[in-house]
């Protein structure tokens, strides 16, 4: 019978909390850039300008058809070369973190774009006409009339995607980045307590994600009225 | 002097022709009612007047400005042409006050205070001053449509377009909206109204236009339209609606 020993968790808390910071940093960056870039992609995809719509559709389909792990790895292999060539960044900067941020932001944008596109389409066409009839040009109509209503409609879906994203950040283990899961794994490996640490990490993910999904359920109920 | 000039306008959706060689005009201070069966193109025609729908042939000139002219600032023109829709189209995420002021502030460059004062004045005019802080969802259909009229009026429009303003309303609420429209008409507002309300047409219209299959079948002074309509189609229409 396996003897559980949870004692190494306490001593590992500083490392684990630093890992959680990395996880949160990736998540938040991907949310912010993902929503901004995703909104532009969604509007481009709905645009009457055909080439623009095609480009956006190509982008979205590409990223949605490729496993996230591979995207993370690609950007890890590509970004350092880009940084050196384009910006001439110092070799010492944390390439792994930068490449992970870029990979997640660009990848999530594709998913957000689809959610936002559905949200924009859920706003009746008459609302656009009413804004136009007041004289508002396209950009103002989107910003003041369509997007506020669209985001309200799609808030539950967006938050669900955020929860998935939060879990997916653990995939940065492929490039050896110490996010929360990576940190737990390293500590477990070091102390010979891998089972306990991975169980503990899993419990933390579960509590956070399940709590968040309960919140989303509440929101959905409130917005359903 | 004509405020709206519609000159040989044709429009197609793919191969289907929705407007066929329509010509008419609305003079300053005139009230013109456009009626006809569903699918006759009357709503499409009025939407073309402020460029919400494009046309493939002909010309539309509003207040001396040709819509098709590339130099025309469509946004600026629209901001001075009031439009009221069948489904009200108030912005549900904004309070009544914000609905009234958003266009004034963004498109006419008015200050917030100025816009609120003007908006509340118009809200008072349609008898809904007490509803200023509410959201559109808390109002009845008739109230929403009156707010929508106030929103258009707050922009100090040079003319008003009504696209079936009472068609989506419960019968009991039709009157409160028509009352506001009648008042506007008697005050000399230039109005083009797509509506089935023949009582409204009899009361305040200067001219009545009848459309069928994308064509303007009859375009006559009110007394001629109801008294001695030329086309058989209009005679048939009138006999049907006046029977009950």
């Amino acid at each position: 019978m396996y003897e559980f020993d949870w004692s190494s968790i306490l001593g590992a808390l500083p490392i684990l909390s630093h890992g959680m910071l990395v996880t949160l940093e990736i998540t938040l960056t991907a949310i912010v850039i993902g929503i901004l870039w995703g909104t532009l992609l969604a509007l481009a995809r709905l645009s009457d300008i055909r080439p623009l719509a095609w480009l956006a559709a190509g982008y979205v389909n590409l990223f949605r058809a490729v496993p996230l792990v591979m995207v993370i790895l690609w950007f890890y292999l590509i970004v350092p070369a880009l940084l050196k060539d384009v910006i001439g960044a110092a070799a010492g900067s944390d390439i792994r973190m930068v490449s992970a941020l870029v990979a997640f932001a660009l990848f999530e944008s594709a998913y957000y774009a689809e959610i936002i596109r559905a949200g924009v389409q859920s706003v009746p066409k008459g609302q656009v006409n009413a804004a136009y009839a007041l004289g508002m040009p396209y950009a103002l109509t989107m910003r003041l009339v369509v997007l506020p209503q669209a985001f309200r409609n799609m808030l539950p879906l967006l938050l669900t995607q955020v929860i998935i994203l939060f879990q997916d950040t653990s995939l940065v283990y492929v490039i050896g980045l110490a996010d929360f899961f990576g940190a737990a794994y390293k500590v477990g490996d070091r102390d010979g307590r891998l089972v306990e640490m991975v169980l503990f990490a899993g419990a933390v993910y579960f509590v956070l994600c399940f709590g968040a999904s309960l919140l989303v359920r509440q929101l959905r109920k409130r917005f359903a009225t | 002097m004509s405020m709206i000039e519609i000159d040989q306008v044709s429009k197609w959706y793919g191969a289907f022709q929705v407007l066929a060689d329509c010509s008419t005009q609305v003079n300053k201070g005139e009230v013109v009612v456009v009626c006809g069966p569903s699918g006759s193109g009357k709503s499409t025609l009025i939407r073309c007047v402020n460029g919400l729908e494009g046309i493939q042939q002909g010309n539309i000139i509003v207040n001396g400005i040709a819509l098709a002219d590339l130099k025309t600032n469509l946004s600026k023109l629209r901001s001075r042409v009031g439009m009221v829709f069948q489904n009200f189209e108030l912005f549900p995420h904004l309070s009544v006050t914000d609905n009234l002021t958003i266009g004034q502030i963004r498109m006419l460059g008015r200050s917030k205070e100025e816009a609120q004062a003007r908006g509340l004045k118009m809200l008072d005019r349609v008898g809904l001053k007490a509803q200023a802080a509410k959201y559109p969802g808390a109002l009845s259909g008739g109230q929403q449509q009156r707010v929508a009229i106030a929103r258009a009026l707050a922009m100090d429009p040079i003319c008003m377009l009504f696209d079936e303003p009472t068609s989506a309303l419960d019968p009991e609420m039709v009157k409160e909206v028509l009352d506001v429209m009648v008042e506007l008409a008697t005050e000399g507002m230039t109005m083009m109204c797509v509506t089935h309300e023949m009582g409204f047409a009899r009361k305040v219209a200067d001219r009545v236009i009848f459309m069928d299959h994308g064509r303007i079948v009859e375009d006559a002074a009110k007394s001629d339209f109801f008294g001695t309509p030329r086309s058989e189609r209009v005679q048939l229409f009138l006999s049907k609606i006046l029977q009950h």
Side-chain angles (χ1 to χ4, degrees):
Chain A
M1 186 64 192
Y2 186 84
E3 293 269 336
F4 286 100
D5 176 6
W6 304 97
S7 59
S8 53
I9 292 175
L10 210 64
L13 280 182
I15 302 176
L16 290 176
S17 52
H18 182 261
M20 185 51 86
L21 279 182
V22 172
T23 295
L24 289 176
E25 191 180 341
I26 297 173
T27 306
L28 287 178
T29 309
I31 292 171
V32 173
I33 298 180
I35 286 180
L36 291 176
W37 181 220
T39 303
L40 291 179
L41 283 170
L43 294 181
R45 220 179 154 179
L46 292 170
S47 156
D48 292 332
I49 306 163
R50 284 292 174 81
L52 200 62
W54 288 333
L55 272 178
Y59 177 100
V60 169
N61 288 328
L62 175 70
F63 274 100
R64 280 163 59 96
V66 172
L68 176 54
V69 160
M70 284 176 65
V71 175
I72 296 169
L73 208 52
W74 281 350
F75 277 90
Y76 176 58
L77 299 173
I78 295 167
V79 168
L82 273 182
L83 282 183
K84 278 203 192 91
D85 291 355
V86 182
I87 335 172
S93 58
D94 189 353
I95 294 303
R96 284 180 302 188
M97 189 63 186
V98 175
S99 70
L101 289 176
V102 173
F104 271 95
L106 296 186
F107 185 87
E108 286 301 317
S109 304
Y111 282 84
Y112 285 129
E114 285 299 275
I115 296 173
I116 295 165
R117 182 168 70 119
V120 168
Q121 285 177 316
S122 76
V123 178
K125 184 78 176 35
Q127 289 282 304
V128 176
N129 279 338
Y132 283 170
L134 284 173
M136 292 188 205
Y138 173 81
L140 208 56
T141 298
M142 284 298 146
R143 189 156 65 81
L144 298 179
V145 175
V146 177
L147 289 175
Q149 294 183 59
F151 272 100
R152 207 191 138 95
N153 292 345
M154 67 202 174
L155 195 59
L157 268 180
L158 276 178
L159 290 176
T160 304
Q161 184 63 30
V162 166
I163 295 171
I164 297 170
L165 161 66
F166 178 74
Q167 295 167 12
D168 283 352
T169 51
S170 57
L171 291 173
V172 294
Y173 80 87
V174 289
I175 56 172
L177 195 58
D179 71 321
F180 180 68
F181 173 70
Y185 190 92
K186 273 181 192 159
V187 170
D189 204 30
R190 184 195 64 193
D191 299 351
R193 288 289 159 204
L194 204 48
V195 175
E196 287 86 344
M197 288 311 292
V198 172
L199 273 174
F200 172 69
V204 171
Y205 277 109
F206 175 80
V207 168
L208 289 177
C209 293
F210 188 65
S213 68
L214 286 182
L215 216 85
V216 174
R217 210 175 300 172
Q218 285 299 319
L219 267 178
R220 218 186 269 269
K221 263 189 213 150
R222 248 185 61 197
F223 278 13
T225 52
Chain B
M1 182 206 146
S2 70
M3 175 65 75
I4 300 167
E5 246 183 275
I6 297 169
D7 182 24
Q8 295 181 308
V9 166
S10 292
K11 177 179 174 65
W12 288 262
Y13 288 131
F16 179 70
Q17 188 164 15
V18 270
L19 295 177
D21 202 24
C22 297
S23 294
T24 188
Q25 80 292 324
V26 179
N27 293 322
K28 213 170 170 188
E30 207 175 21
V31 176
V32 173
V33 164
V34 185
C35 59
S38 330
S40 59
K42 53 196 194 304
S43 277
T44 306
L45 183 67
I46 203 170
R47 279 156 189 270
C48 289
V49 170
N50 67 351
L52 289 180
E53 304 229 20
I55 55 175
Q56 278 90 41
Q57 262 178 37
N59 257 316
I60 294 179
I61 297 162
V62 179
N63 200 25
I65 300 166
L67 291 190
D69 192 336
L70 290 175
K71 281 178 298 209
T72 296
N73 183 341
L74 201 54
S75 280
K76 199 173 167 195
L77 184 64
R78 281 170 176 161
S79 70
R80 303 305 309 282
V81 176
M83 179 133 192
V84 176
F85 298 88
Q86 181 175 359
N87 293 313
F88 331 132
E89 305 301 351
L90 292 177
F91 304 132
H93 59 300
L94 301 177
S95 69
V96 166
T97 305
D98 288 341
N99 264 283
L100 292 165
T101 56
I102 190 170
Q104 299 183 67
I105 294 170
R106 297 288 176 165
M107 302 321 303
L108 303 181
R110 289 182 183 158
S111 71
K112 201 176 165 196
E113 294 72 32
E114 209 180 342
Q116 274 180 358
R118 179 83 188 140
L120 287 178
K121 201 173 155 200
M122 292 302 117
L123 196 60
D124 191 25
R125 188 171 165 180
V126 299
L128 292 170
K129 202 168 188 181
Q131 319 292 336
K134 287 191 181 161
Y135 279 77
L139 304 180
S140 72
Q143 290 175 324
Q144 288 190 50
Q145 193 62 298
R146 280 146 73 197
V147 172
I149 293 172
R151 176 173 71 179
L153 291 176
M155 302 290 283
D156 296 319
I158 51 175
C159 62
M160 290 282 289
L161 308 174
F162 291 85
D163 183 9
E164 305 207 28
T166 56
S167 301
L169 291 174
D170 285 343
E172 298 166 69
M173 295 170 180
V174 170
K175 185 181 176 309
E176 64 187 63
V177 171
L178 287 180
D179 284 348
V180 170
M181 290 171 64
V182 167
E183 199 185 306
L184 266 183
T186 49
E187 281 169 18
M189 175 63 79
T190 308
M191 292 163 66
M192 183 168 174
C193 314
V194 172
T195 183
H196 298 292
E197 301 293 339
M198 287 302 113
F200 171 77
R202 278 179 189 280
K203 202 183 245 171
V204 294
D206 294 298
R207 276 182 20 247
V208 182
I209 291 172
F210 184 88
M211 290 185 72
D212 195 20
H213 294 298
R215 287 183 189 282
I216 292 180
V217 178
E218 185 107 12
D219 182 350
K222 172 174 62 181
S223 51
D224 294 337
F225 184 87
F226 289 110
T228 53
R230 283 181 294 113
S231 74
E232 275 175 41
R233 185 67 188 87
V234 175
Q235 288 163 15
L236 185 71
F237 175 78
L238 288 175
S239 74
K240 274 183 183 162
I241 59 162
L242 297 180
Q243 245 166 26
H244 295 287

